[in-house]
Amino acid sequence: MTGRGGEARDPRGPAPATGAQPSDVPPAADPEASSRPTRSHRLRKALGTAPSRLSPPLSKYRWLRWLTYLLVGWLALGIFLGGGSDMSNDYGLSTPQGLLAGFVQGVAVVLALRRPGRAWALSLSGAVVTALIVRARLPDAQPGPDWPWSAPEILAHAAVFLFVALRLPTRTAIAALMATGLATFVVQGIIGGGQYESTGVTAVAIFAVAVLIGTAFRGRAEARTRLVQQETITAEERSRRTLLEERSRIARELHDVVAHHMSVISIQAQVAPHLVENPSEELKENLDGIRKNALEALTELRRVLGVLRSEHPEDPDDPYGLGEAGTGTAPDAPQPTLDRLDALIDNTRAAGLDVVTEIRGEPSRPYSPGVELSAYRIVQEGLSNALRHAPGSTVRVEITHFPEGLYLSVINSRPEHPVQPSPGAGHGLLGMRERATMLGGHLTATRTLHGGFAVSAFLPRDGRPHPDGPRRPTTDPRLPAPELHFPPPDAPDHVTLQPPNPAGEESP
């Protein structure tokens, strides 16, 4: 910033003089003290300057909001005109005085839509002032007028109390009701007047009913809000738990792959000295250290794997969660790879699905075990979803080998007949997405325009995430790349996948 004389000024203020002690510098403002609610803030909140969820528009439906405004406007107009005329006739006021008293009550009713606390104060003040003014005009003989509350004032104050109970805390509404009752007692019981028809008890009873109704509606709305919030939290927790369960299952499979490699390292380190004539002591020591480290890592890996597998890891009799003999799948069973896809597809065909497979290209070098395992699981889950959600459909499985990685596609047609929604926990699509993301690839799962479903994924060859994010395969003139037609952003539920045609013929 630049001062008046053109010299630069530090927006943070002047720097302390050289040699100044820390005590010479003014203390910084306390952020906690500035965030504390002040007395005026609490007063404004109590008077209704911080509207609650029940404040106007009072409803999420526009027609109901306008109906509320219309009814309140008609009520205020009726109190202003009809009430002012009644008070002029009953209390002997002039027409302008009666209309003024009615106008105050009408304004209070309209103000209660936005500022119920101030509307209550205005309505009560107007009623008390009107009662004190007409006190001297009360007759000495019966029958007398209604006093200290006239019928229009009771109607207006009850409407204000309804909005007070709807929008302000219950304790504030009760406090306002007690203040109204105290003011009524002082005007009628202590000050008193001539002959009149007492309306104090009736008025306070009507006000109490209005507060009770408003509090009931407010409690119902707050309970519904808390229920919606709890359901939202429950759904989020369920999604988080499903995600953790699927990640745990993926981790168990990948731990098996890592454990296999650690075992191979240990065996190779043990065999290596016997493959060399007269190995040196340093070589033997290094290979022995490699073997010991591999065995230690394998032991720790088995412990972690046991915790992941076991439902009760604290059980000392079964620390690895292996269970009784013959009660489940062996934990050291080999993990599936792409070589077992044929058996998987044959089993799916035996279950009643018409499965067509198409494999393009050949891998230039072997894929990493994690890529092969994830590819097998993605195809397996795609076929399982087709069996569950599209019985009798035709499924097309495409596998394309690119220099950068592996492209998978599982597309099923429309089911032969409508299928009831499956009550599954949502592990399938979530697991496929996690597997592709873990390897730095990408996955698309969406409905097709013809009523089917399509799952497509690309997995990088080495199974390592690219530093720039998920990668798509580049165009290779030797291999026809699948054509993906993604939907526009406003229609995320539709996608058309056109399989490549190496011969150039038109697709049916």
Side-chain angles (χ1 to χ4, degrees):
M1 299 176 63
T2 305
R4 181 174 300 178
E7 57 185 16
R9 294 187 301 174
D10 191 348
R12 296 171 294 181
T18 305
Q21 299 298 325
S23 58
D24 300 334
V25 182
D30 185 6
E32 295 184 359
S34 61
S35 61
R36 298 191 189 104
T38 61
R39 182 177 301 176
S40 60
H41 174 73
R42 291 194 297 268
L43 179 60
R44 289 195 303 270
K45 183 177 180 180
L47 293 179
T49 56
S52 70
R53 292 185 65 258
L54 298 174
S55 61
L58 300 174
S59 174
K60 62 181 180 180
Y61 300 108
R62 180 176 299 178
W63 67 269
L64 192 54
R65 295 199 300 265
W66 283 107
L67 180 61
T68 303
Y69 296 147
L70 182 62
L71 292 178
V72 171
W74 276 108
L75 178 62
L77 183 61
I79 291 174
F80 167 53
L81 298 178
S85 177
D86 290 344
M87 284 187 283
S88 298
N89 298 330
D90 294 343
Y91 296 146
L93 300 175
S94 62
T95 300
Q97 290 176 336
L99 291 177
L100 179 61
F103 177 76
V104 171
Q105 297 299 327
V107 170
V109 171
V110 176
L111 183 62
L113 287 170
R114 294 292 180 182
R115 298 290 183 266
R118 297 177 183 179
W120 166 81
L122 177 62
S123 177
L124 180 61
S125 301
V128 171
V129 170
T130 302
L132 294 178
I133 290 176
V134 303
R135 172 178 173 272
R137 302 188 182 189
L138 294 176
D140 296 332
Q142 290 287 357
D146 295 337
W147 191 82
W149 290 92
S150 64
E153 291 173 334
I154 293 176
L155 181 60
H157 209 60
V160 171
F161 260 120
L162 181 62
F163 286 107
V164 168
L166 280 173
R167 290 193 46 201
L168 300 182
T170 303
R171 61 179 181 273
T172 303
I174 294 177
L177 179 63
M178 294 176 62
T180 298
L182 179 61
T184 302
F185 171 75
V186 170
V187 172
Q188 180 178 340
I190 298 178
I191 298 178
Q195 299 297 324
Y196 58 89
E197 294 292 337
S198 176
T199 56
V201 177
T202 303
V204 174
I206 294 176
F207 301 155
V209 171
V211 170
L212 181 62
I213 294 175
T215 303
F217 277 105
R218 177 186 176 89
R220 179 174 176 269
E222 290 179 347
R224 182 181 298 176
T225 301
R226 287 193 296 268
L227 179 61
V228 172
Q229 293 175 350
Q230 186 63 36
E231 290 178 351
T232 303
I233 295 174
T234 303
E236 293 176 353
E237 290 295 334
R238 188 184 301 110
S239 300
R240 188 179 297 111
R241 184 170 62 250
T242 301
L243 177 63
L244 293 178
E245 290 176 358
E246 188 60 30
R247 287 180 176 177
S248 177
R249 187 167 71 92
I250 296 173
R252 290 197 298 266
E253 296 177 350
L254 294 181
H255 274 73
D256 291 343
V257 176
V258 176
H260 170 73
H261 286 292
M262 296 301 297
S263 300
V264 172
I265 292 174
S266 175
I267 294 174
Q268 289 177 342
Q270 184 178 5
V271 174
H274 301 284
L275 302 179
V276 181
E277 295 182 358
N278 301 323
S280 64
E281 293 297 328
E282 294 181 356
L283 178 61
K284 290 182 179 180
E285 291 179 359
N286 290 333
L287 292 175
D288 186 61
I290 292 174
R291 180 175 179 274
K292 289 181 179 179
N293 290 333
L295 290 176
E296 292 178 0
L298 186 60
T299 302
E300 296 297 330
L301 191 61
R302 284 174 178 170
R303 292 175 182 172
V304 175
L305 184 59
V307 173
L308 290 174
R309 281 204 180 97
S310 179
E311 295 182 358
H312 306 285
E314 68 279 359
D315 187 2
D317 299 329
D318 189 17
Y320 296 107
L322 303 181
E324 297 293 337
T327 59
T329 304
D332 54 354
Q335 295 294 341
T337 60
L338 292 175
D339 296 335
R340 298 177 57 184
L341 279 180
D342 293 338
L344 173 65
I345 293 173
D346 290 339
N347 292 336
T348 307
R349 287 170 178 162
L353 278 184
D354 183 13
V355 183
V356 179
T357 60
E358 186 169 358
I359 301 177
R360 300 181 181 87
E362 293 291 338
S364 57
R365 63 180 186 275
Y367 295 105
S368 64
V371 172
E372 293 208 12
L373 173 61
S374 297
Y376 180 89
R377 294 302 187 193
I378 290 174
V379 174
Q380 181 185 38
E381 188 60 38
L383 294 175
S384 299
N385 288 340
L387 276 172
R388 186 181 304 112
H389 302 287
S393 62
T394 300
V395 183
R396 183 184 183 90
V397 178
E398 301 175 9
I399 300 175
T400 306
H401 299 278
F402 287 94
E404 297 88 349
L406 182 64
Y407 174 82
L408 306 169
S409 176
V410 181
I411 312 170
N412 64 267
S413 62
R414 183 194 301 270
E416 292 183 349
H417 52 80
V419 182
Q420 294 295 332
S422 175
H427 288 64
L429 296 179
L430 182 62
M432 290 191 287
R433 186 196 67 184
E434 287 296 320
R435 292 179 187 277
T437 304
M438 173 187 64
L439 299 173
H442 60 84
L443 183 136
T444 301
T446 183
R447 296 181 181 88
T448 63
L449 295 175
H450 303 289
F453 202 82
V455 176
S456 61
F458 175 75
L459 306 178
R461 173 174 297 280
D462 297 329
R464 291 194 297 268
H466 196 276
D468 297 333
R471 310 297 293 174
R472 294 180 181 270
T474 57
T475 304
D476 190 338
R478 298 171 299 172
L479 296 175
E483 299 178 5
L484 283 166
H485 300 273
F486 290 94
D490 56 348
D493 290 338
H494 299 283
V495 66
T496 301
L497 285 149
Q498 295 184 356
N501 202 331
E505 304 93 345
E506 295 184 358
S507 300

